[in-house]
Amino acid sequence: MDKLSSSQLDWNAIRDDFPILRERAHEHPLIYFDNAATTQKPRQVLEALRNYYEHKNANVHRGLHELSSRATEAYEGSRERVAQYIGAATPDEIVFTRGTTEGINLVAQSWGGKFLRAGDVILLTEMEHHSNLVPWQLLAERAGARLRFVPVREDGTLALDQLPSLLTEEVKLFAFTHVSNSLGTINPVRELCQKAREVGAVTVVDAAQSAGHLPLDVRELGCDFLAFSGHKMCAPTGIGALYGRAELLDAMPPWHGGGEMIVSVTLEKSTYKKAPHRFEGGTPNIAGAIGLAAAIDYIEKIGRPEIFEHDARLTQYAIERMADLPGLRLLGPAGKRGAIVGFVMNAAHPHDLTTFADQRGLALRGGHHCNQPLMKKFDLPGTTRASFYFYNTTAEIDRMVEILRDAARFFA
């Protein structure tokens, strides 16, 4: 596929790169609207994985043979590709992880374990999913720190007018999501990072729902750490990346001990490599990193601005088409938002609705979306979530609306 402008892109043709989209589910053509959980993988990524295992498969860094050299070159080349993708100053600011959850836990364990003290405050928001909540709860308990939260308004946006009283000099770390996985809210990352810097707080951005959907540059955003998952942006599962400013990573101790992250070991003591390798003990997910680089190549060939624009059109179309469904309530902001539509229907519990849709070939997500505190705030047991990506179509959304209308009649 050659690079084209947004208006020239044949979005339907792009679907041909995804073999799984030709699958049938319960004898119906598959409609996959569970992209916030994980995205599908194009042939280009599948071929990169196959090429690695057929021509480069060996362990990295330590082998003195040709295959190990090929694997190491590809693995470190992937690190450089990730750095370019998010605007890091150097590949050394990229730590490969299993995903967003591990990246955030790394910061909590390593940075938090060294720098957080009793009485310090960790500032979060009420819209954080569990991966950006539980690690900070565990850290606060260990360190004797306190948690503080930026409230979420009824419209799904942050109550930023309360920030001056919350983001004080007691706050040592401010962690927040870029795009809410339940509401689709896009938070003003640059503004929040700027305000955090003014009080000397370190920032952690959860980019799980944004890294594959919209342009982002860590130096333009001004964040200290940023974590994302490969599998939510066309790459394999089990691979992700943590960006950290070099001076912060270099000041942090290792968190997983083992092979490859050391300089020397005696029976009594070990010394460690510089970042990022001090954080990558053991054999890494080599194929995953190579697959992530292939996914980045694929996404950038389409264009992140074009993907964001296409996602936005799909989301707005879905909201307009769903507006007259009986007993349906949409969550999240009315304006600009990520490609996520969370909703409840009076007729059925989200689990029942999702099961009904599945029987007709439509993959939605029903439940609390690892967002139990937010569900409690909105007094909901959960929601049904439709989340889109660039290979989805308006025709699929039309079919979703038909299925939801049938569900309203069925459960009435």
Side-chain angles (χ1 to χ4, degrees):
M1 182 183 62
D2 296 325
K3 180 72 177 172
L4 298 170
S5 68
S6 176
S7 60
Q8 293 174 310
L9 278 167
D10 185 345
W11 295 97
N12 286 314
I14 286 173
R15 289 172 60 86
D16 291 339
D17 289 335
F18 293 81
I20 202 169
L21 297 180
R22 294 192 288 272
E23 288 292 307
R24 296 179 71 84
H26 301 289
E27 301 181 355
H28 295 276
L30 172 69
I31 300 175
Y32 187 78
F33 285 171
D34 196 17
N35 295 288
T38 195
T39 63
Q40 301 302 339
K41 324 304 178 194
R43 285 183 297 101
Q44 290 82 348
V45 171
L46 303 178
E47 287 168 3
L49 295 173
R50 178 170 179 161
N51 178 273
Y52 164 71
Y53 281 118
E54 287 188 347
H55 300 290
K56 301 171 186 170
N57 181 43
N59 216 325
V60 292
H61 298 138
R62 66 196 77 168
L64 300 176
H65 55 77
E66 171 63 18
L67 284 188
S68 181
S69 297
R70 293 181 193 173
T72 301
E73 184 178 354
Y75 181 72
E76 292 302 329
S78 296
R79 195 189 308 277
E80 187 170 344
R81 193 71 186 90
V82 172
Q84 293 168 348
Y85 183 70
I86 63 170
T90 163
D92 290 344
E93 294 182 322
I94 303 299
V95 181
F96 282 123
T97 65
R98 288 186 296 163
T100 306
T101 302
E102 186 170 87
I104 293 171
N105 273 275
L106 194 165
V107 179
Q109 292 276 344
S110 179
W111 185 91
K114 181 173 180 179
F115 293 107
L116 208 71
R117 298 286 180 269
D120 289 343
V121 172
I122 301 169
L123 182 62
L124 308 170
T125 83
E126 290 182 339
M127 68 172 65
E128 303 309 318
H129 68 151
H130 299 166
S131 292
N132 200 26
L133 173 60
V134 178
W136 307 118
Q137 292 175 340
L138 292 169
L139 172 61
E141 190 172 343
R142 285 196 307 273
R146 295 169 289 159
L147 298 176
R148 195 180 282 172
F149 298 91
V150 181
V152 173
R153 297 190 187 100
E154 193 63 28
D155 68 355
T157 61
L158 293 175
L160 295 179
D161 56 319
Q162 298 187 33
L163 207 56
S165 63
L166 297 169
L167 187 52
T168 64
E169 291 187 354
E170 296 172 293
V171 176
K172 302 305 176 189
L173 183 140
F174 185 14
F176 54 89
T177 188
H178 191 172
V179 176
S180 165
N181 75 325
S182 296
L183 305 171
T185 310
I186 302 175
N187 288 321
V189 175
R190 188 183 308 181
E191 176 187 345
L192 297 179
C193 289
Q194 172 62 35
K195 291 185 180 303
R197 275 200 304 277
E198 291 171 2
V199 299
V202 165
T203 47
V204 180
V205 177
D206 171 357
Q209 299 297 341
S210 63
H213 290 265
L214 53 89
L216 62 82
D217 183 302
V218 290
R219 283 180 286 176
E220 286 184 6
L221 295 175
C223 59
D224 295 304
F225 295 100
L226 180 142
F228 65 93
S229 300
H231 72 95
K232 295 181 191 290
M233 47 178 285
C234 297
T237 54
I239 187 69
L242 171 72
Y243 158 79
R245 284 199 298 113
E247 56 267 41
L248 293 176
L249 289 179
D250 286 340
M252 291 160 52
W255 74 313
H256 286 162
E260 191 49 37
M261 44 78 76
I262 56 88
V263 173
S264 66
V265 176
T266 67
L267 288 177
E268 294 78 20
K269 184 177 174 59
S270 300
T271 58
Y272 309 107
K273 290 182 176 177
K274 291 184 176 180
H277 297 102
R278 73 168 58 173
F279 301 112
E280 296 180 5
T283 298
N285 185 352
I286 306 164
I290 292 169
L292 176 57
I296 288 172
D297 288 344
Y298 184 82
I299 287 171
E300 290 209 316
K301 205 160 190 175
I302 299 173
R304 279 184 281 178
E306 289 78 6
I307 288 173
F308 180 66
E309 185 182 331
H310 182 70
D311 283 356
R313 278 199 300 268
L314 287 177
T315 306
Q316 186 58 38
Y317 183 76
I319 290 172
E320 290 171 3
R321 291 284 285 110
M322 295 167 75
D324 60 349
L325 285 172
L328 184 138
R329 173 190 167 196
L330 291 169
L331 280 78
K336 185 179 175 184
R337 60 192 288 167
I340 292 170
V341 178
F343 59 94
V344 290
M345 291 183 74
N346 293 338
H349 187 280
H351 285 172
D352 295 329
L353 188 60
T354 304
T355 302
F356 182 90
D358 174 59
Q359 293 300 309
R360 287 146 185 82
L362 171 60
L364 299 171
R365 191 78 159 191
H368 55 64
H369 314 296
C370 298
N371 230 173
Q372 288 186 14
L374 188 66
M375 296 298 128
K376 185 176 181 181
K377 180 181 182 68
F378 287 109
D379 195 25
L380 296 170
T383 68
T384 303
R385 183 180 71 188
S387 52
F388 313 115
Y389 210 18
F390 56 81
Y391 43 67
N392 292 129
T393 68
T394 54
E396 290 180 317
I397 290 172
D398 289 338
R399 177 59 183 149
M400 176 182 73
V401 172
E402 288 177 13
I403 292 171
L404 294 177
R405 198 178 297 281
D406 289 345
R409 285 193 287 264
F410 179 84
F411 289 109

